Amino acid sequence: MTRPKSIVVLTGAGISAESGLGTFRDKDGLWTKYDLNDVATPEGFARNPVLVHDFYNARRRNLVEAMPNAAHVALADLEQRFDGDFLLVTQNVDDLHERAGSRKLLHMHGELLKIRCEACDAVRAWREDLDLATTCPACATTGRLRPHVVWFGEMPLYMEAVYDALALCDLFVSIGTSGQVYPAAGFVADVRRRGIAHTVELNLDPSDGFSLFAEKIYGPATEVVPTFVERLLKS
Ligand code: APR
């Protein structure tokens, strides 16, 4: 591998699996226990906000107990030691990348430790349970708060910045994602279309888009990511 000048890394739930945070589509994944239409759509929230708050409150409590793992730490290390352009785009709503030290980071699906008010659009950091009696810290409206996460059918965040970085990168690395959810699942095809970037998949199992990657390394993220980062920094 020649030393890249500009790297984009995409992560998914698989990178946080070994920190005890469930993935979505694996055996025992969240979507085998919950109907995503009930807990991860605006329509589901309108239908039954109590069910949705319970779902995210449980995930938030789980998150504050979790710790970053060796894969999160390796990516923060890469960001600090790499002298070229670097951007980490995560589909994850957990804060384990930040806690590992990542800073050049975009949460395209939002953040679990933030809430948004549907009355005034304010976004605030939030670590407690949320329910219909909670009052917005910005506009004092009650019962209009929701987790600051992107639900199915809603526009992902920071997409202009993400596509700008994808348009310039010469190395695209995808870690711990099944490649089933767009637009993230389409990034590798976008990058390949330009024909100059090297593309690498690091995952436990082949993703839906595995055939589009020039290089594939399979195994637990805590093993394959630190090894890959060391190899990259030596290149
Ligand atoms: N190390 C590396 N990869 C792993 C590990 C691990 N320890 N454990 C699981 N994986 C891989 C699985 O093989 C799978 O390909 O992580 C992937 C997890 O896939 P999903 O559960 O589909 O999660 P993700 O791709 O992040 O989902 C995308 O869908 O539900 C929505 O908004 C949600 O951001 C999420 C999006």
Side-chain angles (χ1 to χ4, degrees), residues 133-169:
T134 312
T135 299
C136 172
C139 71
T141 304
T142 300
R144 299 294 308 281
L145 294 167
R146 56 166 282 177
H148 182 51
V149 297
V150 176
W151 285 327
F152 290 93
E154 297 183 323
M155 279 298 293
L157 308 174
Y158 315 114
M159 290 316 296
E160 201 178 325
V162 172
Y163 282 121
D164 287 351
L166 289 170
L168 295 173
C169 73

Short mmCIF file of all heavy atoms in Angstrom, two decimals, residues 133-169:
data_model
loop_
_atom_site.label_atom_id
_atom_site.label_comp_id
_atom_site.label_asym_id
_atom_site.label_seq_id
_atom_site.Cartn_x
_atom_site.Cartn_y
_atom_site.Cartn_z
N ALA A 133 -42.48 14.30 29.91
CA ALA A 133 -42.57 15.37 30.92
C ALA A 133 -41.32 16.25 30.92
O ALA A 133 -41.27 17.26 31.61
CB ALA A 133 -42.75 14.74 32.30
N THR A 134 -40.34 15.86 30.12
CA THR A 134 -39.08 16.63 30.11
C THR A 134 -39.30 17.98 29.41
O THR A 134 -39.95 18.04 28.37
CB THR A 134 -37.97 15.84 29.39
OG1 THR A 134 -37.95 14.50 29.89
CG2 THR A 134 -36.62 16.49 29.61
N THR A 135 -38.77 19.03 30.00
CA THR A 135 -38.93 20.40 29.46
C THR A 135 -37.70 20.81 28.68
O THR A 135 -36.58 20.56 29.12
CB THR A 135 -39.17 21.37 30.63
OG1 THR A 135 -40.36 20.96 31.30
CG2 THR A 135 -39.34 22.79 30.15
N CYS A 136 -37.90 21.45 27.54
CA CYS A 136 -36.75 21.88 26.72
C CYS A 136 -35.94 22.94 27.47
O CYS A 136 -36.49 23.96 27.88
CB CYS A 136 -37.24 22.46 25.39
SG CYS A 136 -35.92 23.20 24.43
N PRO A 137 -34.63 22.71 27.64
CA PRO A 137 -33.78 23.69 28.35
C PRO A 137 -33.67 25.03 27.61
O PRO A 137 -33.29 26.04 28.19
CB PRO A 137 -32.43 23.00 28.45
CG PRO A 137 -32.47 21.83 27.54
CD PRO A 137 -33.89 21.54 27.19
N ALA A 138 -34.05 25.07 26.33
CA ALA A 138 -33.93 26.31 25.54
C ALA A 138 -35.24 27.10 25.50
O ALA A 138 -35.26 28.30 25.76
CB ALA A 138 -33.47 25.98 24.13
N CYS A 139 -36.38 26.40 25.21
CA CYS A 139 -37.63 27.15 25.02
C CYS A 139 -38.69 26.80 26.07
O CYS A 139 -39.81 27.32 26.00
CB CYS A 139 -38.19 26.88 23.62
SG CYS A 139 -38.85 25.21 23.42
N ALA A 140 -38.34 25.92 27.00
CA ALA A 140 -39.23 25.54 28.12
C ALA A 140 -40.51 24.84 27.69
O ALA A 140 -41.43 24.66 28.48
CB ALA A 140 -39.56 26.77 28.98
N THR A 141 -40.59 24.45 26.41
CA THR A 141 -41.74 23.63 25.98
C THR A 141 -41.59 22.22 26.55
O THR A 141 -40.49 21.69 26.62
CB THR A 141 -41.75 23.54 24.43
OG1 THR A 141 -41.77 24.85 23.91
CG2 THR A 141 -42.95 22.76 23.94
N THR A 142 -42.68 21.62 26.96
CA THR A 142 -42.65 20.25 27.50
C THR A 142 -43.15 19.25 26.48
O THR A 142 -44.08 19.56 25.73
CB THR A 142 -43.52 20.20 28.78
OG1 THR A 142 -42.98 21.12 29.71
CG2 THR A 142 -43.52 18.81 29.39
N GLY A 143 -42.49 18.06 26.45
CA GLY A 143 -43.02 16.96 25.64
C GLY A 143 -42.71 17.01 24.15
O GLY A 143 -43.27 16.24 23.38
N ARG A 144 -41.80 17.91 23.73
CA ARG A 144 -41.46 17.98 22.30
C ARG A 144 -40.01 17.59 22.05
O ARG A 144 -39.45 17.88 20.99
CB ARG A 144 -41.72 19.41 21.77
CG ARG A 144 -43.15 19.89 21.87
CD ARG A 144 -44.10 19.10 20.96
NE ARG A 144 -43.63 19.02 19.58
CZ ARG A 144 -43.76 20.01 18.65
NH1 ARG A 144 -44.30 21.17 19.01
NH2 ARG A 144 -43.34 19.85 17.42
N LEU A 145 -39.39 16.95 23.02
CA LEU A 145 -37.98 16.59 22.87
C LEU A 145 -37.83 15.19 22.30
O LEU A 145 -38.64 14.31 22.59
CB LEU A 145 -37.28 16.67 24.23
CG LEU A 145 -37.19 18.07 24.81
CD1 LEU A 145 -36.76 18.01 26.28
CD2 LEU A 145 -36.19 18.91 24.01
N ARG A 146 -36.81 14.98 21.48
CA ARG A 146 -36.53 13.67 20.89
C ARG A 146 -35.03 13.44 20.90
O ARG A 146 -34.24 14.39 20.99
CB ARG A 146 -37.07 13.59 19.46
CG ARG A 146 -36.55 14.69 18.54
CD ARG A 146 -36.79 14.43 17.07
NE ARG A 146 -35.84 13.46 16.53
CZ ARG A 146 -35.90 13.04 15.27
NH1 ARG A 146 -36.85 13.48 14.44
NH2 ARG A 146 -35.02 12.16 14.81
N PRO A 147 -34.59 12.18 20.80
CA PRO A 147 -33.15 11.93 20.68
C PRO A 147 -32.63 12.59 19.40
O PRO A 147 -33.33 12.60 18.39
CB PRO A 147 -33.05 10.41 20.59
CG PRO A 147 -34.38 9.87 21.04
CD PRO A 147 -35.39 10.95 20.75
N HIS A 148 -31.41 13.14 19.45
CA HIS A 148 -30.83 13.79 18.26
C HIS A 148 -30.20 12.71 17.37
O HIS A 148 -28.99 12.68 17.14
CB HIS A 148 -29.79 14.82 18.69
CG HIS A 148 -29.16 15.58 17.56
ND1 HIS A 148 -29.90 16.21 16.58
CD2 HIS A 148 -27.86 15.78 17.24
CE1 HIS A 148 -29.08 16.78 15.72
NE2 HIS A 148 -27.84 16.53 16.10
N VAL A 149 -31.02 11.77 16.92
CA VAL A 149 -30.55 10.72 16.02
C VAL A 149 -31.37 10.79 14.73
O VAL A 149 -32.49 11.30 14.72
CB VAL A 149 -30.68 9.32 16.66
CG1 VAL A 149 -29.80 9.20 17.89
CG2 VAL A 149 -32.12 8.98 16.97
N VAL A 150 -30.77 10.32 13.62
CA VAL A 150 -31.43 10.33 12.32
C VAL A 150 -32.23 9.06 12.16
O VAL A 150 -31.67 7.96 12.25
CB VAL A 150 -30.39 10.45 11.17
CG1 VAL A 150 -31.06 10.36 9.81
CG2 VAL A 150 -29.60 11.76 11.32
N TRP A 151 -33.52 9.20 11.98
CA TRP A 151 -34.38 8.02 11.83
C TRP A 151 -34.57 7.69 10.36
O TRP A 151 -34.26 8.49 9.47
CB TRP A 151 -35.74 8.29 12.49
CG TRP A 151 -35.70 8.24 13.99
CD1 TRP A 151 -34.87 7.44 14.75
CD2 TRP A 151 -36.47 9.01 14.93
NE1 TRP A 151 -35.12 7.64 16.09
CE2 TRP A 151 -36.09 8.60 16.22
CE3 TRP A 151 -37.45 9.99 14.80
CZ2 TRP A 151 -36.65 9.14 17.38
CZ3 TRP A 151 -38.02 10.53 15.95
CH2 TRP A 151 -37.63 10.10 17.23
N PHE A 152 -35.02 6.47 10.09
CA PHE A 152 -35.25 6.06 8.70
C PHE A 152 -36.24 7.01 8.05
O PHE A 152 -37.23 7.41 8.67
CB PHE A 152 -35.77 4.62 8.66
CG PHE A 152 -34.73 3.60 9.03
CD1 PHE A 152 -34.62 3.16 10.34
CD2 PHE A 152 -33.84 3.12 8.09
CE1 PHE A 152 -33.63 2.25 10.69
CE2 PHE A 152 -32.85 2.21 8.44
CZ PHE A 152 -32.74 1.77 9.74
N GLY A 153 -35.90 7.42 6.83
CA GLY A 153 -36.75 8.39 6.11
C GLY A 153 -36.32 9.82 6.35
O GLY A 153 -36.87 10.75 5.74
N GLU A 154 -35.34 10.04 7.25
CA GLU A 154 -34.84 11.40 7.50
C GLU A 154 -33.47 11.59 6.85
O GLU A 154 -32.75 10.61 6.62
CB GLU A 154 -34.75 11.66 9.01
CG GLU A 154 -36.11 11.61 9.72
CD GLU A 154 -36.02 11.94 11.20
OE1 GLU A 154 -35.02 11.53 11.85
OE2 GLU A 154 -36.95 12.60 11.71
N MET A 155 -33.11 12.86 6.57
CA MET A 155 -31.84 13.16 5.92
C MET A 155 -30.67 12.99 6.88
O MET A 155 -30.69 13.55 7.99
CB MET A 155 -31.83 14.62 5.43
CG MET A 155 -32.55 14.84 4.12
SD MET A 155 -31.77 13.91 2.79
CE MET A 155 -30.20 14.80 2.70
N PRO A 156 -29.63 12.24 6.49
CA PRO A 156 -28.43 12.18 7.33
C PRO A 156 -27.79 13.56 7.44
O PRO A 156 -28.09 14.46 6.66
CB PRO A 156 -27.52 11.21 6.58
CG PRO A 156 -28.41 10.46 5.68
CD PRO A 156 -29.53 11.40 5.30
N LEU A 157 -26.90 13.72 8.42
CA LEU A 157 -26.28 15.01 8.71
C LEU A 157 -24.91 15.13 8.02
O LEU A 157 -24.29 14.13 7.71
CB LEU A 157 -26.08 15.14 10.23
CG LEU A 157 -27.33 14.88 11.11
CD1 LEU A 157 -26.95 14.88 12.58
CD2 LEU A 157 -28.41 15.92 10.82
N TYR A 158 -24.48 16.37 7.79
CA TYR A 158 -23.12 16.68 7.31
C TYR A 158 -22.79 16.06 5.95
O TYR A 158 -21.61 15.88 5.62
CB TYR A 158 -22.06 16.21 8.33
CG TYR A 158 -22.35 16.55 9.76
CD1 TYR A 158 -22.61 15.55 10.69
CD2 TYR A 158 -22.41 17.87 10.18
CE1 TYR A 158 -22.92 15.86 12.01
CE2 TYR A 158 -22.71 18.18 11.50
CZ TYR A 158 -22.96 17.17 12.40
OH TYR A 158 -23.26 17.47 13.71
N MET A 159 -23.81 15.77 5.13
CA MET A 159 -23.53 15.05 3.89
C MET A 159 -22.67 15.84 2.91
O MET A 159 -21.86 15.25 2.19
CB MET A 159 -24.84 14.60 3.22
CG MET A 159 -25.54 13.49 3.99
SD MET A 159 -24.44 12.18 4.56
CE MET A 159 -23.88 11.53 3.00
N GLU A 160 -22.77 17.17 2.91
CA GLU A 160 -21.95 17.96 1.98
C GLU A 160 -20.46 17.79 2.33
O GLU A 160 -19.64 17.49 1.47
CB GLU A 160 -22.35 19.44 2.05
CG GLU A 160 -21.94 20.23 0.80
CD GLU A 160 -22.42 21.68 0.89
OE1 GLU A 160 -23.52 21.90 1.46
OE2 GLU A 160 -21.67 22.56 0.44
N ALA A 161 -20.15 17.90 3.62
CA ALA A 161 -18.75 17.74 4.07
C ALA A 161 -18.26 16.33 3.79
O ALA A 161 -17.11 16.13 3.38
CB ALA A 161 -18.66 18.04 5.56
N VAL A 162 -19.14 15.34 3.96
CA VAL A 162 -18.75 13.94 3.72
C VAL A 162 -18.43 13.73 2.24
O VAL A 162 -17.37 13.19 1.89
CB VAL A 162 -19.86 12.97 4.17
CG1 VAL A 162 -19.56 11.54 3.75
CG2 VAL A 162 -20.07 13.05 5.68
N TYR A 163 -19.31 14.21 1.35
CA TYR A 163 -19.06 14.01 -0.08
C TYR A 163 -17.85 14.82 -0.56
O TYR A 163 -17.09 14.36 -1.42
CB TYR A 163 -20.31 14.35 -0.90
CG TYR A 163 -21.35 13.26 -0.86
CD1 TYR A 163 -22.64 13.49 -0.40
CD2 TYR A 163 -21.04 11.97 -1.28
CE1 TYR A 163 -23.59 12.47 -0.36
CE2 TYR A 163 -21.96 10.95 -1.23
CZ TYR A 163 -23.24 11.20 -0.77
OH TYR A 163 -24.16 10.18 -0.71
N ASP A 164 -17.60 15.97 0.04
CA ASP A 164 -16.40 16.74 -0.31
C ASP A 164 -15.14 15.93 0.01
O ASP A 164 -14.21 15.84 -0.79
CB ASP A 164 -16.36 18.07 0.46
CG ASP A 164 -17.39 19.07 -0.06
OD1 ASP A 164 -17.99 18.78 -1.13
OD2 ASP A 164 -17.61 20.10 0.61
N ALA A 165 -15.12 15.29 1.17
CA ALA A 165 -13.95 14.50 1.58
C ALA A 165 -13.82 13.24 0.72
O ALA A 165 -12.71 12.87 0.31
CB ALA A 165 -14.07 14.12 3.05
N LEU A 166 -14.95 12.61 0.39
CA LEU A 166 -14.90 11.40 -0.45
C LEU A 166 -14.38 11.74 -1.85
O LEU A 166 -13.69 10.94 -2.47
CB LEU A 166 -16.29 10.78 -0.55
CG LEU A 166 -16.84 10.09 0.69
CD1 LEU A 166 -18.31 9.74 0.50
CD2 LEU A 166 -16.03 8.84 1.02
N ALA A 167 -14.68 12.97 -2.30
CA ALA A 167 -14.26 13.39 -3.64
C ALA A 167 -12.75 13.62 -3.72
O ALA A 167 -12.20 13.64 -4.82
CB ALA A 167 -14.99 14.67 -4.03
N LEU A 168 -12.09 13.76 -2.56
CA LEU A 168 -10.65 14.06 -2.54
C LEU A 168 -9.80 12.92 -2.03
O LEU A 168 -8.59 12.90 -2.22
CB LEU A 168 -10.41 15.29 -1.65
CG LEU A 168 -11.01 16.61 -2.13
CD1 LEU A 168 -10.84 17.68 -1.06
CD2 LEU A 168 -10.34 17.03 -3.44
N CYS A 169 -10.41 11.90 -1.39
CA CYS A 169 -9.60 10.90 -0.68
C CYS A 169 -8.90 9.96 -1.67
O CYS A 169 -9.41 9.69 -2.76
CB CYS A 169 -10.45 10.11 0.29
SG CYS A 169 -11.57 8.92 -0.47
#
